Amino acid sequence: MAYSDKVIDHYEHPRNVGGFDKGDDTVGTGMVGAPACGDVMKLQIKVNPATGLIEDARFKTYGCGSAIASSSLITEWVKGKSLDQATQIKNSQIAEELALPPVKIHCSILAEDAIKAAVDDYRQKHAKAAPSAAAAPSAQLAH
Ligand code: FES
């Protein structure tokens, strides 16, 4: 299959590969897998507590070129965004930017799901920490 130039560029020069300390409370971690192909993507965001904006992002993807390119691209896109804005990124935008063929659309879905999972993780950490989280059932407090 022919990959687009943008996929090849991100695949050969992936942006933001790596990870942050999961225990850091400014970090949110999302880990998702694609059952169809077995590829796995871990995506992390680092949030500036003062502004609430995502100041950095990292990923590790064990997957195909399109999955690597999708995660590389989305880590670039989320920087400087609020959590709400980050969760509004659609896989179709990634697929369009990278010119993914239909058989590779699920690779971009992985990136959308991973960023949502990372934002959820960050929010859960902070729901726990916030004193007003009295409504949170104690079962969620155990990790
Ligand atoms: Fe499954 Fe790309 S082939 S993530």
Side-chain angles (χ1 to χ4, degrees), residues 5 10 25 38 61 94 96 108 127 142:
D5 290 347
H10 277 278
D25 70 358
T61 293
I94 300 167
E96 190 179 334
S108 63

Side-chain angles (χ1 to χ4, degrees), residues 46 51-57 75-83 85-86:
K46 195 167 179 48
T51 61
L53 300 179
I54 297 170
E55 60 181 16
D56 210 350
T75 52
E76 287 286 275
W77 279 358
V78 296
K79 284 189 204 173
K81 285 195 163 51
S82 69
L83 297 177
Q85 287 169 333

